[in-house]
């Protein structure tokens, strides 16, 4: 009787684990099925590298290069803001802050993650866009920069959390060794602890990128959704995600516009996938380093 | 142990209760135009007062969304602030859907600027050139020397499609004019309202019902938009607000459409700042 | 010549007393061995000598320690103290750098940039710990590629590169095989010429081999201190005798 129970539990656990992988594969297959249908009507290179996105015109043009550039610019801007801030915050929390406020600070940053992205988008429209407009004398504050700033807030909790973990996992003995040799606290931190936590820091950056690339609501509200090839962060952009969100409702099932949005989905899936693989590699290396210490 | 089983049972049965209670009878589904969504809801509220046994659910998402829902059979009525396109009709026929049109109200599309902008009137040709990017600076149409910030609705909006055809393309479907790539695509008419309120260089468009005294409507071809000028056909950017159903609607849905087109329904149209059909 | 004077030293971690009222003296260029069972305060004492225990936030110290007559708490600043007093830990802890960079780390911290000077320091330090011949061809490879014994000697070299006057050892051979242990002990004997050394060890036999004088700590107190041979053959205190004979430990 016991053996039967063991057997059932084992199989149930196996099925649950297998189920998650199966779902991902099924989603990807569905994406592929609907997305690849586009390339029966549209040239693949015209899609990937075309600079004109006019999906409901006659004849329609499905060039997504401006959309890719839009996502790239917004993501890049967000990371440039969030990583130094996140690194500084993580170092402060793990190395400098007195024990008593450490927990309080960590909770505070995690609270940022609890803010729904649409609320951040709303704050962006009401406060940030007019502010940027005045500071930079722009026609409108709805720009890639507005998106980057708001997305940096979203990515910050992830980045701080992972970097802080990485720093705390660096064996205390490394820092002691440096201090015993006469390093000051800061010298020990930036010459020994940070390089030792490098893999973890890289993993945090990659996961931050992953978080930002997939963000939809906030960018839809504050980046202006103009499908231009951006040359600076102070211009409006249109991201891959916002395009799908804005146009999916209207695209009639079975039309080439419909397929093109799924094709964008494939592009997003691949980007996310690659980022996550790299993050995994870096996280792995950071764990291997811990194990190396005999 | 018994407690655990019981709480598990409660948790698992919760969804059943939630979904089971969603609606006394089957509700009339109305989906589509964001321009018309408030009007649709006002109609629904009054209708449900007279016919409490028939719930009505109204959602927005854009005229395109409404038609897409009609074609996938997930709505009874598609609200549209533009006509159904030949492409969409062809696709409907392929799916065995036969769209039937009802003209339920009229609307004017106002072109708005910030009250501080001294430009008061524009021709449709000028509007076409502003929105397709040929005219880039306000000084070219008699205003200050500053770059025009052009706002538009997203592609899923019927207002967008109507404006594209009748203003940007000047009524010629074969015209190569498009919205310029640098036009900011706002997710809703309310977003356009907000941006215009705060930006002296901005220009945008939305339905007559969204106009408040915080924005200034420009005269198009010399005519200012109002219920009168739209009804009389004087205001050049006017459109019909439509309902589409699949074939002849059933009794419940027909009674709703009749209500909307009745005297009471048209009073509501006026109250919501749209233009009655008579 | 007295090098270090400890007077009335007490150390607490929160409510726990690690060292009670300790007084002793360390002579110049001797090897002082410190033996005793676990938790007798040996390591706490050692880490107070270069104020490394201040890293532990709940550690409190009372009493006085003087180096060449100057108080290490009040008269010598922290960075100078850490140059004067080097430490070799129980587990070999090379920094995540190359062999060369590990040793050059201390001098570089002090601003030494001259490449030939650094080369000289690296070579001298490696020779002093009997490691030079084994690694001279791979100074730029990662320190992690060395064996345990080599890493430990690397740590000694690293400490030497700072030109300290005192070297502390906290159970330095606990993870090493007998051959590596012998090499480390040989290095220690050789270093007596120029350095004062204090060796904390759980291995009484090691103290017997290497230390000039030995101190026996038990539960935070100094029980007995004296010439090594005498302590091992005829200790004054019964507890010392019992510990060395292995009747408890």
């Amino acid at each position: 009787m016991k053996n039967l129970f063991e057997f059932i539990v084992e199989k149930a656990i196996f099925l649950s684990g297998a189920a998650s992988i199966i779902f991902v594969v099924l989603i990807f297959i569905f994406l592929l099925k609907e997305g690849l249908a586009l390339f029966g009507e549209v040239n693949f290179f015209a899609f990937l590298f075309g600079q004109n996105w006019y999906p409901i015109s006659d004849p329609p043009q499905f060039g997504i290069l401006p959309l890719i550039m839009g996502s790239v610019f917004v993501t890049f801007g967000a990371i440039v803001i969030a990583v130094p801030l996140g690194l500084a915050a993580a170092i402060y929390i793990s190395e400098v802050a007195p024990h008593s406020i450490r927990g309080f600070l960590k909770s505070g940053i995690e609270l940022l993650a609890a803010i729904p992205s649409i609320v951040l988008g709303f704050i962006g429209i009401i406060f940030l866009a007019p502010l940027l407009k005045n500071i930079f004398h722009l026609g409108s504050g709805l720009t890639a920069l507005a998106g980057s700033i708001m997305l940096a807030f979203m990515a910050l909790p992830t980045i701080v959390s992972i970097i802080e973990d990485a720093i705390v996992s660096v064996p205390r003995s490394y820092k002691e060794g440096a201090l015993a040799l006469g390093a000051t606290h800061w010298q020990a931190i930036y010459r020994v602890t940070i390089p030792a936590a490098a893999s973890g820091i890289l993993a945090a950056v990659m996961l931050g990128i992953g978080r930002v690339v997939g963000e939809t609501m906030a960018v839809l509200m504050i980046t202006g959704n103009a499908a231009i090839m951006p040359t600076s962060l102070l211009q409006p952009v249109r991201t891959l995600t916002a395009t799908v969100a804005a146009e999916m409702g209207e695209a009639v099932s079975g039309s080439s516009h419909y397929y093109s949005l799924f094709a964008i989905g494939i592009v997003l899936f691949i980007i996310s996938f690659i980022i996550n693989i790299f993050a995994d590699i870096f996280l792995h290396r950071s764990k291997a380093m811990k194990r190396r210490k005999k | 142990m018994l407690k655990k089983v019981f709480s598990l049972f409660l948790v698992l049965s919760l969804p059943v209760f939630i979904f089971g209670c969603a609606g006394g009878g089957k509700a009339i589904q109305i989906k589509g135009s964001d321009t018309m969504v408030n009007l649709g809801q006002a109609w629904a509220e009054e209708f449900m007062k007279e016919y409490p046994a028939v719930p009505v659910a109204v959602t927005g998402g854009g005229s395109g969304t409404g038609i897409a829902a009609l074609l996938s059979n997930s709505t009874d009525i598609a609200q549209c602030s533009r006509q159904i396109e030949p492409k969409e009709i062809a696709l409907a026929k392929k799916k065995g859907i036969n769209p039937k049109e009802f003209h339920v109200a009229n609307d004017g599309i106002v072109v708005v600027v910030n009250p501080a902008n001294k430009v008061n009137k524009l021709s449709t040709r000028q509007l076409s050139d502003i929105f397709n990017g040929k005219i880039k600076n306000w000084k070219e149409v008699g205003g200050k020397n500053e770059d025009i910030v052009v706002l538009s609705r997203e592609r899923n909006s019927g207002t967008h499609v109507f404006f594209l055809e009748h203003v940007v393309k000047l009524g010629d479907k074969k015209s190569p004019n498009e919205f310029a790539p640098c036009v900011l695509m706002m997710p809703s008419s309310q977003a356009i309202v907000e941006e215009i309120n705060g930006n002296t260089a901005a220009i945008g468009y939305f339905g007559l019902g969204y106009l408040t005294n915080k924005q200034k409507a420009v005269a198009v071809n010399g005519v200012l938009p109002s219920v009168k000028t739209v009804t009389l056909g004087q205001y050049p950017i006017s459109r019909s607000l439509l309902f589409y159903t699949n074939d002849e609607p059933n009794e419940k849905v027909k009674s709703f459409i009749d209500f909307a087109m009745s005297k009471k329904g048209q009073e509501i149209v006026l109250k919501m700042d749209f233009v009655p059909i008579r | 010549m007295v090098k270090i004077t400890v007077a009335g030293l007490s150390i607490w971690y929160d409510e726990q007393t690690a060292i009670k009222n300790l007084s002793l003296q360390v002579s110049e260029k001797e090897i002082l061995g410190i033996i005793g069972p676990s938790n007798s305060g040996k390591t706490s004492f050692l880490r107070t000598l270069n104020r490394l225990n201040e890293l532990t936030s709940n550690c409190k110290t009372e009493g006085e320690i003087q180096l060449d007559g100057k108080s290490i708490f009040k008269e010598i600043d922290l960075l100078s103290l850490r140059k004067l007093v080097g430490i070799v830990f129980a587990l070999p802890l090379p920094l995540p750098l190359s062999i060369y960079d590990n040793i050059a780390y201390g001098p570089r911290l002090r601003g030494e940039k001259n490449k030939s000077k650094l080369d000289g320091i690296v070579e001298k330090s490696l020779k002093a710990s009997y490691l030079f011949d084994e690694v001279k061809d791979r100074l730029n490879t990662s320190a992690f590629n060395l064996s345990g014994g080599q890493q430990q000697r690397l740590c000694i070299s690293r400490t030497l590169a700072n030109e300290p006057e005192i070297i502390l050892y906290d159970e330095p051979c606990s993870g090493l095989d007998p051959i590596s242990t012998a090499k480390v002990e040989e290095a220690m004997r050789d270093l007596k010429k120029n350095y004062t050394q204090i060796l904390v060890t759980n291995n009484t036999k090691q103290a017997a081999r290497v230390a000039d004088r030995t101190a026996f700590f038990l539960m935070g107190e100094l029980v007995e201190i004296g010439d090594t041979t005498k302590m091992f053959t005829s200790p004054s205190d019964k507890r010392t005798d019992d510990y060395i004979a292995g009747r408890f430990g």
Side-chain angles (χ1 to χ4, degrees):
Chain A
M1 192 56 223
K2 223 191 205 175
N3 281 333
L4 179 61
F5 182 68
E6 291 274 323
F7 177 76
I8 293 181
V9 169
E10 244 183 67
K11 291 307 163 201
I13 295 180
F14 170 73
L15 278 175
S16 315
S20 28
I21 302 182
I22 292 180
F23 282 138
V24 174
V25 171
L26 282 178
I27 291 178
F28 189 58
I29 292 180
F30 179 65
L31 262 185
L32 275 183
K33 174 168 160 285
E34 303 286 349
L36 291 181
L38 177 70
F39 300 117
E41 303 164 30
V42 174
N43 177 289
F44 176 71
F45 292 103
F47 175 71
L48 206 54
F49 297 111
Q51 298 192 12
N52 294 317
W53 177 256
Y54 287 115
I56 56 172
S57 303
D58 219 346
Q61 297 186 60
F62 293 111
I64 64 169
L65 196 58
L67 311 180
I68 296 180
M69 293 308 294
S71 289
V72 165
F73 266 66
V74 168
T75 304
F76 176 73
I79 293 299
V80 158
I81 298 174
V83 170
L85 268 180
L87 186 59
I91 293 179
Y92 183 75
I93 291 181
S94 55
E95 295 278 340
V96 179
H99 262 295
S100 41
I101 49 174
R102 200 168 287 188
F104 174 71
L105 279 177
K106 280 192 87 164
S107 316
I109 295 212
E110 256 137 58
L111 208 61
L112 253 185
I115 304 180
S117 63
I118 198 161
V119 170
L120 284 172
F122 193 62
I123 295 178
I125 292 194
I126 302 288
F127 293 115
L128 186 57
L131 188 66
L132 288 179
K133 176 161 164 280
N134 289 331
I135 295 180
F136 294 102
H137 305 293
L138 302 168
S140 163
L142 300 172
T143 54
L145 182 60
S148 293
I149 293 177
M150 279 332 207
L151 291 184
F153 279 121
M154 274 176 236
L156 211 54
T158 310
I159 292 182
V160 170
S161 213
I162 297 184
I163 295 185
E164 200 254 336
D165 261 357
I167 291 181
V168 155
S169 320
V170 173
R172 221 173 61 133
S173 45
Y174 283 4
K175 207 172 101 180
E176 280 185 359
L179 288 172
L181 288 173
T184 61
H185 196 194
W186 279 114
Q187 284 171 323
I189 291 179
Y190 83 78
R191 278 182 192 242
V192 176
T193 310
I194 303 289
S199 308
I201 294 177
L202 275 169
V205 172
M206 299 261 82
L207 287 171
I209 293 180
R211 175 85 182 77
V212 166
V213 154
E215 176 50 41
T216 307
M217 264 340 275
V219 289
L220 182 60
M221 295 165 82
I222 56 180
T223 55
N225 300 314
I228 60 172
M229 294 287 294
T231 53
S232 97
L233 279 178
L234 293 175
Q235 290 175 304
V237 293
R238 190 181 182 84
T239 61
L240 293 164
T241 46
T243 304
V244 176
E247 301 183 12
M248 192 43 114
E250 186 265 337
V252 182
S253 169
S255 65
S256 48
H257 188 193
Y258 178 83
Y259 293 137
S260 71
L261 295 177
F262 274 95
I264 292 183
I266 296 180
V267 172
L268 279 169
F269 191 95
I270 293 180
I271 295 178
S272 264
F273 192 66
I274 295 181
I275 291 176
N276 272 294
I277 291 201
F278 274 108
D280 230 32
I281 294 180
F282 289 129
L283 269 176
H284 212 64
R285 267 208 229 146
S286 130
K287 292 203 186 106
M289 197 201 62
K290 257 186 285 166
R291 272 188 269 123
R292 230 197 253 135
K293 198 211 144 233
K294 268 194 272 199
Chain B
M1 178 65 196
L2 195 60
K3 233 209 256 180
K4 279 198 199 160
V5 172
F6 183 62
S7 6
L8 189 63
F9 172 72
L10 267 183
V11 168
L12 288 176
S13 54
L14 212 55
V16 176
F17 284 116
I18 294 179
F19 288 112
C21 294
K26 195 155 172 295
I28 300 181
Q29 294 289 339
I30 305 182
K31 289 192 188 157
S33 165
D34 286 322
T35 305
M36 290 174 69
V37 70
N38 289 337
L39 176 58
Q41 277 171 343
W43 275 330
E45 261 169 52
E46 280 307 311
F47 179 78
M48 287 196 280
K49 282 200 195 130
E50 299 202 7
Y51 301 87
V54 188
V56 182
V58 181
T59 47
S63 303
T65 309
I67 295 194
L70 188 70
L71 264 51
S72 6
N73 233 334
S74 57
T75 187
D76 295 306
I77 297 178
Q79 288 188 130
C80 291
S81 55
R82 61 159 172 90
Q83 283 215 298
I84 191 171
E85 309 250 306
K87 270 192 301 174
E88 291 167 328
I89 299 179
L91 201 50
K93 294 273 161 60
K94 255 205 296 192
K95 294 184 166 217
I97 308 261
N98 189 13
K100 191 148 172 13
E101 181 178 293
F102 296 89
H103 180 189
V104 292
N106 287 324
D107 186 25
I109 297 188
V110 297
V111 178
V112 285
V113 295
N114 189 287
N117 191 328
K118 52 184 174 153
V119 174
N120 288 324
K121 51 193 172 90
L122 293 164
S123 69
T124 41
R125 156 123 278 143
Q126 285 173 315
L127 283 177
S128 169
D129 285 338
I130 289 177
F131 280 88
N132 73 30
K134 281 214 198 82
I135 296 183
K136 296 196 204 310
N137 193 306
W138 280 113
K139 68 173 190 251
E140 298 175 61
V141 290
K144 275 201 301 199
N145 178 7
E146 59 183 345
D147 286 333
I148 309 182
V149 176
V150 188
L151 310 170
S152 161
R153 287 287 306 280
E154 267 287 357
R155 295 195 175 87
N156 62 347
S157 150
T159 318
H160 169 114
V161 176
F162 184 88
F163 200 83
L164 177 64
E165 265 177 34
H166 291 91
V167 179
V168 178
K169 291 187 190 257
L170 291 169
D172 174 13
K173 288 216 170 144
K174 300 248 188 308
S175 160
N177 291 347
E178 300 281 352
F179 281 101
C182 58
V183 169
L184 301 179
M185 302 247 161
M186 312 297 281
S188 67
S189 288
Q190 189 56 35
I192 298 185
V193 169
E194 294 290 338
E195 185 65 22
I196 297 268
N197 286 353
N199 192 331
T200 54
I203 184 172
Y205 61 85
F206 40 69
L208 188 50
Y210 280 89
L211 185 63
T212 70
N213 53 14
K214 289 210 183 124
Q215 307 95 34
K216 180 164 80 165
V218 301
V220 180
N221 291 348
V223 182
L224 273 174
S226 72
V227 170
K228 184 152 150 248
T229 55
V230 171
T231 311
L232 292 175
Q234 293 169 335
Y235 185 68
I237 320 178
S238 307
R239 56 184 177 166
S240 314
L241 298 182
L242 309 163
F243 277 175
Y244 285 100
T245 58
N246 178 12
D247 253 336
E248 283 300 328
N250 65 38
E251 219 186 286
K252 264 198 297 194
V253 175
K254 183 112 194 6
S255 61
F256 181 81
I257 302 181
D258 286 337
F259 173 76
M261 292 169 71
S262 71
K263 182 151 174 285
K264 239 193 171 168
Q266 293 295 305
E267 278 169 15
I268 297 177
V269 169
L270 196 54
K271 212 169 50 164
M272 299 298 290
D273 292 322
F274 290 100
V275 180
I277 42 184
R278 294 176 263 279
Chain C
M1 269 279 307
V2 173
K3 188 76 182 168
I4 305 178
T5 310
V6 180
L9 180 70
S10 297
I11 307 175
W12 297 269
Y13 296 102
D14 283 331
E15 299 304 312
Q16 287 264 43
T17 311
I19 288 283
K20 255 188 297 238
N21 208 349
L22 170 70
S23 300
L24 58 73
Q25 288 184 338
V26 184
S27 310
E28 208 181 344
K29 298 201 183 139
E30 73 164 339
I31 299 183
L32 174 68
I34 303 185
I35 57 174
S38 318
N39 278 336
S40 33
K42 317 191 295 291
T43 301
S44 303
F45 168 61
L46 202 70
R47 287 161 65 102
T48 311
L49 291 173
N50 69 349
R51 292 171 63 185
L52 207 55
N53 65 345
E54 282 169 16
L55 284 182
T56 319
S57 49
N58 55 355
C59 178
K60 281 197 298 279
T61 332
E62 237 181 49
E64 184 57 73
I65 300 182
Q66 288 193 345
L67 213 162
D68 284 336
K70 292 212 215 74
S71 161
I72 68 168
F73 298 112
K74 302 198 227 16
E75 290 169 274
I76 307 182
D77 72 283
L78 199 54
L79 294 181
S80 310
L81 179 66
R82 300 232 173 108
K83 181 188 189 302
L84 287 172
V85 182
I87 185 166
V88 178
F89 297 99
L91 291 175
L93 297 171
L95 295 172
L97 304 165
S98 71
I99 297 175
Y100 186 98
D101 287 329
N102 257 280
I103 302 180
Y105 188 74
R108 279 203 183 112
L109 275 179
R110 275 164 235 309
E112 182 60 71
K113 293 202 182 81
N114 184 313
K115 178 108 194 347
S116 45
K117 263 193 148 186
L118 284 172
D119 286 347
I121 294 176
V122 170
E123 190 175 321
K124 194 173 113 190
S125 317
L126 283 170
K127 283 194 172 141
S129 61
Y130 294 98
L131 188 58
F132 185 68
D133 290 326
E134 290 166 52
V135 301
K136 62 178 179 236
D137 299 322
R138 41 180 176 140
L139 290 175
N140 285 316
T141 60
S142 164
F144 285 120
N145 291 331
L146 298 174
S147 75
Q150 290 171 321
Q151 283 183 6
Q152 196 58 304
R153 278 176 286 148
L154 173 67
C155 292
I156 297 180
S157 309
R158 197 175 66 186
T159 311
L160 294 176
N162 258 350
E163 289 168 4
E165 294 175 10
I166 301 167
I167 306 179
L168 309 174
Y169 300 87
D170 189 359
E171 302 186 33
C173 303
S174 58
L176 302 183
D177 59 275
I179 299 179
S180 305
T181 304
K183 290 208 177 147
V184 172
E185 291 177 6
E186 190 184 344
M188 279 196 240
R189 274 184 218 107
D190 210 57
L191 291 169
K192 263 180 57 160
K193 283 182 262 164
N194 296 310
Y195 304 93
T196 307
Q197 295 168 90
I198 304 181
L199 164 70
V200 162
T201 176
N202 260 336
N203 182 345
T204 53
K205 304 282 189 328
Q206 180 172 68
R209 288 192 292 268
V210 167
D212 299 313
R213 288 191 310 147
T214 304
F216 173 50
F217 280 33
L218 180 61
M219 302 215 291
E221 284 181 5
L222 171 65
V223 173
E224 189 174 338
I225 182 171
D227 176 84
T228 306
T229 327
K230 178 172 174 305
M231 191 181 288
F232 276 78
T233 49
S234 50
S236 324
D237 192 304
K238 181 166 187 321
R239 290 171 290 178
T240 319
D241 189 40
D242 284 341
Y243 178 70
I244 292 180
R247 278 174 227 128
F248 75 95

